[in-house]
Amino acid sequence: MQFKKRLLTLTLMCTTLALAAYLIYTHGILGGGSEQASNAHRRSIVRLEMPEGRQMGGGLGGASQPGSNQRSFLLDDIPGVFAQDAHPNVRDRSQGETAQDWRKCHMETCFDFDRCKNGFKVYLYPRQVPVSAPYAKILSVIERSRYLTANPHEACVFIPSIDTLDQDVLSKDYVPDVGTKLRAQPYWNGGRNHIMFNQYSGTWPDYGEELKFIEQGILVKSSMSIDWIRYGFDISMPLFAKNHPQSGGEMGYLHNASNSIPSIRHYLLAFKGKRYLNGVGSDTRNVLYHIHNAEDIVLLTTCKHGKGWEKLADERCYIDNEEYDKFDYQKLLFNSTFCLVPRGRRLGSFRFLESLQATCIPILLSNSYELPFSEVIDWNKIVIWGDERLLFQVPPMVRSVPQSKILALRQQNQLVWESYFRSVDAIINTVLEIVKNRVARHLVRPSYHWNSVPGAHVVLPEWSDIPNNFPFYYKTFGETPGDHFTAIIYATSAVTASSPLFRVLKMVAKSQYCKKIIVLWNCDVPPPPSSKWPTDLGVPVRVKTRDVHSLNARFLPFKEIETDAVFNFDEDVLITTDEVDFAFGVWLEFADRIVGYPARSHYWDEALAKWIYTSKWTNQFSMILPSAAIYHKYYNYLYHNFLNPLILSKVEEVNNCEDILMNFVVAHATRLPPIKLTQRKAHKPPDAGTPPSAVAASKAVETDQLRFQQRQECLEAFVENFGYMPLIHSSMRMDTMLYKDPVSNMRKKYRQIETVNS
Amino acid sequence: MSSVASSSSLVAEAQLQTMIKTRRKLPSFYASLGILGTFLVVIVICIWWFGANIGGSIFVRDLPAELQTRTKLYLTSDSPIPEPRDLNCTFHNYSCSEVHHCGYDDSTTISVYIYPLQQYFDEKGNDITPPMSREFEEILRVIANSPYYTNDPETACVFLPSIDLLNQNFINPDQVGKILASLPWWNDGKNHILINMLPGSPNNYHDHLGVNMSKAMVAGGGFSTITYRRTFDLSIPVYNPLLEGVELTAKPFEEERRWFLLSSQFGLHATYKAQIEALTKAESTVMMMDQCDSQNFNYSIRCDYMGHQYSYPEVLQDSTFCLVIRGNRLGQPTFMDVLMAGCIPVVVADGYVMPFSEVLDWTRASVHIIEEHLPIVYDILKKYSPERIVDMRRQIHYYWQRYFKSLPEITMMMMQIFNDRFVPFVAKNSDEWNDLPNKAAFKSPLFLPIKAPKAVGFTVVILTFDRIDSLFQVVRQVGRVPSLAKILIIWNNQDIKPPPLADWPNIGKPLKIIQTKFNRLSNRFYPYDDIQTECVLALDDDIVMLTPDEIEFGYEVWREHPDRLVGYPSRLHLWQNDTQSFSYESEWMNQISMVLTGAAFHHKYYSFMYTYGMPGNIKQWVDEHINCEDIAMNFLVTNVTGKAPIKVVPRKKFKCPECVKEMLSASSSHMVHRSECINMFIELYGGMPLKPIEFRADPLLYKDNLPGVLRKFRDLGTL
């Protein structure tokens, strides 16, 4: 080997020498060439001197082969690449470019992170003058936000009450001179940490995007273009109509329409709207008739809008107008699989949100449009991108979308519609969430928070930074919830040896899945000494007396809860160990829902025009009370951190309704009904002991009535707060597999359940 | 230029020393040093000479012949130069790119034309061709050998000049501008990709390639959000050839690391250095290292302040977080080292556009802090949970292996992203780019939690052969179900024609008969166009005992669980210790894991999946053996959703009231066959997807007798 190597080297040497001699002979010179080239030679030397084994790995390149190129873009410039960073001032370097031009703002240079040390707090300037209806809606969201603060000194971001929404000078809602007004704001500071909203910038004929007043503020704007947005700083929001609902809003149409494939919608692709004949954006819509076939592709435009359209009308106008009137817009929208969303004068159009709501998959024909919330939403899962330059590609493209993809697009479409767009609340809260996401760096949300069920708003990053600690992601990440639960018993009355509390304790402790029992002691007398508690329970019991004096406390995410599952009990609930075990087994299959025993329902009363709370037995239910219910511990956190503090104090005030509120929270998060178990109807022991006097009895009825009345009021207040009725009905209950079947009880696993009196 | 050169030779000497040290350990090399020295001199002369004459570029291995032409081109002082870089360019901007040659209905792959290698000379005859690096050669080679390559510029979508611009320090921007403008298909730079990793030069460190390029796209390392033209440019990593040949033994993701935070970069700014130093004093788990000898460049070792020596990049594996701080440039080759070592990069570079951030979700694999926050970086990092850290390590490993580990990966990634832009309707979504392959994970095709609309109703698909009597009885029964939308009779008998429509029971709902060409079990799951509802009830022609209430309630249950199989007869799989295999159980047990599709609801999409997407040859096997189609369906649905089927109502007998056990299921050979099916399917699925559950669905008021309540679904059988 050694010998061969030397031989090879020798041969090479000779060859090279001969070659060199020949070249010298033919060219007659030795030097020559540019300086640059000779530098290259020297660098080549460097390469050759690199330690062996550090040259080329895996036979990827030609360097290891004789005669091939040794030169490297980096190794030959080591001093340049690894040069000492000696910038005179690193702060200036970072801030430099933006200091001269606010168009170059990014978060690191135009935002004071120091202001956000106390968390993400939003300060809203006091309203001074009346604002437009849409801006009033936006401000109303901020006013109800859980991030709102009244103290500007602890605020992280500021929202001016000056209406900047419409800056089209020809518009009747145009507010002049906003720049001056903004600069007069007491905390303006060049616009730093300010968020400003705009729907219309520029005007006929060029509809420019420039808004001078924003300075170093974050601009949240409809119809932003890719080259105009300060990406990662500004936010593109959807164009929403004046009558876009404040809260609640339409559900996605998939709740009413078949999600069957192949699509049974009558039309494949539809559009109906104005066209402009000339000027910005007119080209896109003017050519649509080329692919209109009046059968499965229906693209209708009209020239009939604005004053004096006849003057500009081209020969197609009259044909188009006639065709236009043949079809109803709403019918097209809900009966088409795909909807064309071409640009209008501006890039965004109302069509976009309308299509999302109708589960009509948007086909975008709006080049350079920065889609709403594109910083966080993965639009590839929702829309099909067309290109204005390739109009004729649209029909074949649409026809080639596979069925499985249509199925997925529709569902994703509904997910984002309902999470981020269905109301002004949803839109503006998304804006706040995006800004918050940038501010707290360690809480930056991964994309699955935004782009998978249930959507980012109900997934609080402060709770956990891994998917496993949420009830929503077990299946998608191939994980399962833990195999034990923690019991929470809420105790309000003094105990004796025969107290129901001790009965519940024993029943629960016997469950093989019980890891720990936490007793929340909210009672005038202190808890009995540990000697009085049942012994030999086999599981640890913690009694907490601090901070449990509100009913909300039964849903506190105590750090002592180490399991994924929390089983909440009333101190006197009737329950057997079999029921506890069975419930846990069912919960494992439905880890994102409340699973339990006592059920309640609600319904809409047409005459009263409001939602009614009911505890009557009907064929369906919509709530499971946590007197005996198991659910994921994350919902405890959500209950205390997602809701507006006002609503929590409502519960505290009436000392009632916490169970209804929990059902609201979970239904809002999951859009699913809870799971009701078995036939049991009696969950409270009948009043034992001395028969109550007539007075006491009537008093009890009165309190019952009062409490019931409170619950009705709560339901109404919660609907008001959520902006819609999130509860969903279910008409089934889960029984054990052989429940009440005429087979021997010996064959049944949960025999106690068989004998429960219904 | 000259100062660079002289310091290079300094480095060369240093390298030589390192090399000698290394080689002393290897006596065979030591012996041949003399010869090697001579050899070196010769090579130097040789390369020098060649370099002087052919411009530093030499024959590039493995490139298609048409690229190797190497013609000469002379540019004059009045040769045109392109306009400056057009900052308004976006992908969708009409004036910046042409799309008519790119993908769409003909092909979903864009075609890339590479200009043949050429030499360029100025008026004086000086070679002004930028020198070709082996890294750029490699990139060209990868593209030329990829499906993207085309040799036809007339039909190409994208053009790649074969001019090495990786390091701006090695080029003369004016000359390069002229060269670019001289390219035959230049067209103001439209659809041209320029690849650069080190922008700027020591006099002026730009964050983008400082060459007049008009409307060309740049795949560049070290963009800032200000210079990055999103959707148009592409941020790529700064490849680090110093890692070539380095092999690191992977550390278990769960393993604790020696340090919490490590900084081991060269040439850090004094400000940052001081800040990190302060951190090391405050926290014992923060570590800072630097070059061991500032005069001798040696990338493979690092020293701490005590002078202790650590080998690099191995040392990166000993830390949980690794700082990657901007230097003169925003993009740092250190980023690659850190990814390779599986250390979580803590990127400190204001405005830096992360490599491939257009598609990669860096929140899963890195931490970003603003430069101002460097002094509090420790507190920020402490907020990450140990589980998250493990997740991030996994993600980094995945990114590294898939997208970063060598130039071919980086190059293909680049091309794929450009491809996705030009052919957006086949673009991958964020899950496809970022999700780790996970066999245990479920991607349910029906992922949206939704209660299916009631009004649409369901289609019943009855598979029948010749049992007219019981078939008609079934039709009459199911015809009374309020939510029934349509009856579809799959007439699986090719010899006998179905009775004329007039003879069928009149049920007041649409009824359609489809006579099949072959008698196959899979015909029951074919996604017929006649099924217009999303919900399908598969029914055998002898299931005469199901009541309309039971069926209507089953539909209610399915509406609440449209992603599951919802059915009536149930079965269970059981592990048998004696045979070490699963057996099929039809006894009435406390658990179930299957519902039989003789009477079960499913979403129509599962018919598509059964027909077109079942693993292995299951479909064919079922058709040949005329058995187990129901087990196959249960495997299919549970495997894709991770969700067990739901048994509805207590009924356990379905065919005839008198039978103690149902006929077919009774025979023991049948049971054996069914068990065999299960075990065969497990093999094809690579595991047992079925999962037993202990509950069934009953109407809310089942067995209740409440005064004054109008109970729904009363007509339920008991057995």
Side-chain angles (χ1 to χ4, degrees), chain B residues 8 15 40 47 76 95 128 139 150 167 170 180 205 236 290 299 365 382 397 473 528 532 535 566 585 587 590 671 710:
Chain B
S8 282
Q15 290 292 338
L40 269 177
I47 290 174
T76 57
S95 66
I128 57 166
I139 292 171
T150 179
N167 186 344
F170 289 155
L180 290 177
Y205 286 107
I236 59 172
D290 206 336
Y299 203 68
K382 268 294 168 192
H397 180 73
Q473 201 183 338
Y528 301 97
Q532 299 221 319
C535 180
V566 171
E585 282 296 331
E587 287 296 323
N590 285 293
M671 304 299 288
L710 194 63

Side-chain angles (χ1 to χ4, degrees), chain A residues 422-435:
Chain A
R422 64 192 277 199
S423 63
V424 180
D425 276 10
I427 294 172
I428 301 306
N429 281 322
T430 305
V431 170
L432 293 181
E433 211 55 49
I434 290 174
V435 178

Side-chain angles (χ1 to χ4, degrees), chain B residues 15 19 58 100 122 125 270 282 317 320 376 393 411 417 464 503 510 589 592 614 630 639 643 677:
Chain B
Q15 290 292 338
M19 187 198 71
I58 33 180
H100 298 93
D122 65 8
Q317 292 186 299
T320 299
I376 56 162
R393 287 183 187 141
T411 308
I417 296 177
T464 189
D503 295 354
M589 314 278 277
I592 65 130
M614 252 197 315
D630 43 9
N639 182 64
K643 294 179 177 180
C677 284

Side-chain angles (χ1 to χ4, degrees), chain A residues 40-342:
Chain A
H41 313 156
R42 292 189 184 176
R43 285 189 206 101
S44 303
I45 301 171
V46 180
R47 281 303 305 124
L48 284 174
E49 304 302 329
M50 286 302 288
E52 195 127 6
R54 284 280 156 111
Q55 297 222 342
M56 268 305 215
L60 296 170
S64 52
Q65 307 211 352
S68 62
N69 191 1
Q70 294 285 337
R71 200 191 152 76
S72 164
F73 83 105
L74 185 143
L75 300 175
D76 290 287
D77 188 19
I78 294 283
V81 176
F82 295 97
Q84 176 69 35
D85 177 6
H87 197 275
N89 184 334
V90 286
R91 198 178 151 77
D92 280 2
R93 171 169 62 186
S94 168
Q95 311 280 327
E97 274 188 276
T98 38
Q100 292 155 17
D101 181 359
W102 305 131
R103 288 283 312 132
K104 293 178 174 174
C105 269
H106 47 92
M107 286 303 278
E108 291 94 332
T109 58
C110 291
F111 193 88
D112 289 338
F113 284 88
D114 281 351
R115 281 195 178 275
C116 306
K117 275 185 199 144
N118 310 314
F120 184 70
K121 301 263 174 69
V122 180
Y123 176 76
L124 179 62
Y125 285 100
R127 293 203 208 185
Q128 287 159 333
V129 286
V131 295
S132 65
Y135 199 59
K137 283 182 185 172
I138 292 178
L139 295 184
S140 155
V141 184
I142 315 285
E143 279 159 359
R144 285 175 292 123
S145 167
R146 64 176 187 273
Y147 302 124
L148 186 73
T149 176
N151 178 1
H153 301 292
E154 64 164 21
C156 168
V157 295
F158 297 81
I159 295 177
S161 57
I162 292 154
D163 185 352
T164 51
L165 268 192
D166 195 335
Q167 287 295 305
D168 182 339
V169 290
L170 296 181
S171 161
K172 66 179 171 45
D173 288 328
Y174 172 69
V175 179
D177 215 14
V178 290
T180 323
K181 290 172 191 163
L182 284 169
R183 276 193 296 276
Q185 300 291 308
Y187 312 101
W188 178 247
N189 188 20
R192 283 186 163 237
N193 295 39
H194 281 61
I195 300 178
M196 278 152 292
F197 296 87
N198 178 268
Q199 283 201 311
Y200 306 101
S201 67
T203 190
W204 197 84
D206 61 341
Y207 297 91
E209 285 184 69
E210 181 158 30
L211 292 169
K212 287 224 164 64
F213 62 83
I214 57 168
E215 299 189 11
Q216 299 178 71
I218 294 172
L219 177 64
V220 181
K221 185 178 178 306
S222 308
S223 299
M224 280 193 135
S225 69
I226 287 169
D227 52 334
W228 195 260
I229 191 174
R230 297 173 292 182
Y231 189 72
F233 189 71
D234 294 333
I235 295 172
S236 174
M237 80 169 169
L239 180 64
F240 59 84
K242 278 195 173 121
N243 61 358
H244 202 57
Q246 173 78 58
S247 56
E250 293 281 316
M251 298 288 272
Y253 190 59
L254 209 53
H255 290 274
N256 308 90
S258 170
N259 190 18
S260 194
I261 51 164
S263 178
I264 56 164
R265 296 199 181 190
H266 188 76
Y267 304 106
L268 179 71
L269 177 64
F271 170 74
K272 185 171 174 174
K274 299 188 264 191
R275 72 184 173 94
Y276 302 104
L277 299 161
N278 69 351
V280 174
S282 56
D283 294 350
T284 311
R285 292 185 178 190
N286 284 351
V287 292
L288 291 183
Y289 73 90
H290 286 295
I291 57 172
H292 165 79
N293 66 14
E295 282 165 17
D296 62 343
I297 297 183
V298 178
L299 308 177
L300 307 164
T301 55
T302 179
C303 316
K304 237 192 258 181
H305 56 91
K307 275 176 255 161
W309 65 273
E310 278 111 336
K311 277 184 228 149
L312 286 166
D314 54 27
E315 54 198 50
R316 275 218 60 85
C317 275
Y318 300 95
I319 314 169
D320 289 347
N321 290 355
E322 195 179 310
E323 195 81 355
Y324 188 84
D325 294 331
K326 283 187 198 158
F327 296 86
D328 176 69
Y329 174 60
Q330 291 293 322
K331 274 190 190 147
L332 280 178
L333 193 61
F334 292 101
N335 284 303
S336 185
T337 305
F338 298 96
C339 280
L340 199 69
V341 182

Side-chain angles (χ1 to χ4, degrees), chain B residues 276-532:
Chain B
I276 301 168
E277 211 166 329
L279 281 173
T280 59
K281 281 178 186 141
E283 302 293 342
S284 60
T285 54
V286 180
M287 185 63 175
M288 181 159 78
M289 297 173 186
D290 206 336
Q291 303 196 58
C292 292
D293 176 354
S294 57
Q295 300 304 308
N296 279 350
F297 179 86
N298 186 340
Y299 203 68
S300 59
I301 51 168
R302 294 289 190 277
C303 285
D304 63 14
Y305 73 103
M306 300 276 287
H308 292 142
Q309 203 167 311
Y310 302 87
S311 56
Y312 187 92
E314 288 81 356
V315 69
L316 295 171
Q317 292 186 299
D318 292 332
S319 186
T320 299
F321 292 99
C322 291
L323 281 167
V324 180
I325 303 179
R326 68 160 300 166
N328 290 306
R329 293 183 174 100
L330 279 171
Q332 291 291 315
T334 312
F335 187 69
M336 294 287 282
D337 313 356
V338 170
L339 285 190
M340 182 192 201
C343 186
I344 302 167
V346 179
V347 180
V348 188
D350 285 358
Y352 177 46
V353 180
M354 289 288 282
F356 305 135
S357 53
E358 183 168 336
V359 296
L360 299 188
D361 181 7
W362 281 109
T363 62
R364 299 193 199 184
S366 67
V367 179
H368 298 251
I369 60 158
I370 62 173
E371 290 172 27
E372 250 182 270
H373 283 176
L374 187 57
I376 56 162
V377 64
Y378 183 82
D379 304 320
I380 295 175
L381 296 177
K382 268 294 168 192
K383 291 179 182 157
Y384 284 81
S385 72
E387 295 88 353
R388 176 68 186 273
I389 286 169
V390 172
D391 280 0
M392 288 174 109
R393 287 183 187 141
R394 279 210 185 92
Q395 193 74 37
I396 290 164
H397 180 73
Y398 179 68
Y399 281 172
W400 171 257
Q401 290 293 334
R402 224 168 138 191
Y403 306 129
F404 288 92
K405 78 172 172 207
S406 67
L407 272 174
E409 272 80 13
I410 296 172
T411 308
M412 289 308 277
M413 179 73 170
M414 235 156 62
M415 297 319 297
Q416 167 95 60
I417 296 177
F418 279 121
N419 197 101
D420 278 6
R421 288 181 188 171
F422 280 102
V423 197
F425 69 98
V426 295
K428 291 207 249 179
N429 65 39
S430 64
D431 298 350
E432 290 160 323
W433 284 110
N434 296 295
D435 283 359
L436 300 181
N438 181 349
K439 282 193 103 179
F442 299 100
K443 292 258 176 260
S444 174
L446 296 161
F447 56 83
L448 188 75
I450 197 167
K451 192 167 170 180
K454 186 183 174 92
V456 180
F458 65 90
T459 306
V460 61
V461 176
I462 306 175
L463 192 70
T464 189
F465 194 75
D466 56 5
R467 286 184 288 204
I468 301 284
D469 287 349
S470 73
L471 171 66
F472 279 11
Q473 201 183 338
V474 169
V475 168
R476 271 188 294 268
Q477 282 286 86
V478 78
R480 287 162 50 208
V481 180
S483 292
L484 175 76
K486 185 195 259 180
I487 295 183
L488 204 58
I489 306 287
I490 306 305
W491 192 264
N492 231 359
N493 190 332
Q494 286 75 43
D495 302 327
I496 306 169
K497 282 211 153 141
L501 269 179
D503 295 354
W504 289 72
N506 184 5
I507 51 161
K509 295 268 171 76
L511 182 145
K512 177 157 182 183
I513 304 153
I514 295 177
Q515 188 168 16
T516 57
K517 287 210 182 88
F518 305 98
N519 179 14
R520 284 180 186 149
L521 266 184
S522 58
N523 289 339
R524 104 168 325 159
F525 294 131
Y526 186 81
Y528 301 97
D529 279 346
D530 284 294
I531 305 174
Q532 299 221 319

Side-chain angles (χ1 to χ4, degrees), chain A residues 23 29 41 49 52 55-56 69 72 84 87 94 370 378 411 465 619 681 735 737 741 749-750, chain B residues 16 23 48-49 132 134-135 230 244 268-269 350 385 430 445 564 652 694 696 698 704 710:
Chain A
L23 285 170
I29 39 158
H41 313 156
E49 304 302 329
E52 195 127 6
Q55 297 222 342
M56 268 305 215
N69 191 1
S72 164
Q84 176 69 35
H87 197 275
S94 168
E370 181 76 53
D378 181 6
Q411 295 177 74
D465 54 7
N619 286 293
K681 298 283 178 296
D735 284 330
M737 196 56 75
D741 283 346
K749 185 175 173 190
Y750 298 108
Chain B
L16 193 60
R23 293 208 170 155
W48 181 17
W49 185 260
M132 175 83 82
R134 57 187 169 85
E135 291 88 0
R230 220 161 43 84
E244 283 166 10
L268 284 186
H269 196 278
D350 285 358
S385 72
S430 64
R564 299 187 192 232
K652 290 170 187 62
E694 299 184 331
R696 69 168 194 238
D698 287 336
D704 280 335
L710 194 63

